[in-house]
């Protein structure tokens, strides 16, 4: 099944997630390779997320990176939400619609 093209709001949320993860990794003083190895994911995946090529990474990938970088998923969600306040309701609504 081909992937659906992301709307601009989803693209911005992906960019904000990428920015937060990249900044956290850099602040930790660790390389993408070291974080990937410790998180149990490929370095290509980490780089793809950080460069914004993967705007909607898998939940467990984000969870593994967050845990490795000492971030909670709540922190990541809040960061993305605060960075795009006009779109936060849209994000919550789409999440609810997807689960029910």
């Amino acid at each position: 099944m081909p992937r659906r093209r992301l709307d601009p709001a989803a693209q911005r949320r992906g960019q904000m997630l990428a920015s937060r993860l990249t900044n956290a990794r850099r602040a930790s003083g660790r390389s993408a390779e070291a974080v990937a190895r410790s998180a149990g994911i490929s370095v290509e995946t980490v780089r793809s997320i950080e460069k914004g090529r993967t705007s909607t990474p898998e939940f467990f990938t984000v969870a593994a990176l967050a845990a490795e970088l000492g971030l909670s998923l709540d922190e990541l969600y809040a960061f993305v939400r605060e960075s795009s306040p006009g779109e936060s309701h849209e994000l919550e609504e789409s999440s609810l619609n997807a689960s029910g």
Side-chain angles (χ1 to χ4, degrees):
M1 172 196 245
R3 287 189 76 165
R4 194 175 73 188
R5 187 169 184 88
L6 295 177
D7 62 46
Q11 289 176 349
R12 280 190 297 277
R13 287 190 301 269
Q15 291 167 348
M16 295 312 302
L17 176 63
S19 173
R20 181 66 181 110
L21 290 171
T22 302
N23 290 339
R25 182 187 57 75
R26 288 181 178 156
S28 76
R30 297 169 67 198
S31 67
E33 292 85 357
V35 170
R37 191 177 322 108
S38 296
I41 59 178
S42 73
V43 69
E44 291 82 14
T45 297
V46 172
R47 289 182 179 145
S48 180
I49 292 168
E50 287 188 354
K51 292 184 184 301
R53 290 190 307 261
T54 303
S55 297
T56 57
E58 295 290 328
F59 172 80
F60 290 107
T61 300
V62 173
L65 287 171
E68 196 55 41
L69 296 169
L71 300 170
S72 73
L73 292 175
D74 288 337
E75 284 178 283
L76 286 177
Y77 176 71
F79 177 79
V80 171
R81 184 174 169 189
E82 290 168 8
S83 299
S84 53
E87 300 160 3
S88 62
H89 181 68
E90 189 180 302
L91 174 63
E92 292 168 5
E93 213 172 87
S94 66
S95 297
L96 289 174
N97 291 338
S99 65

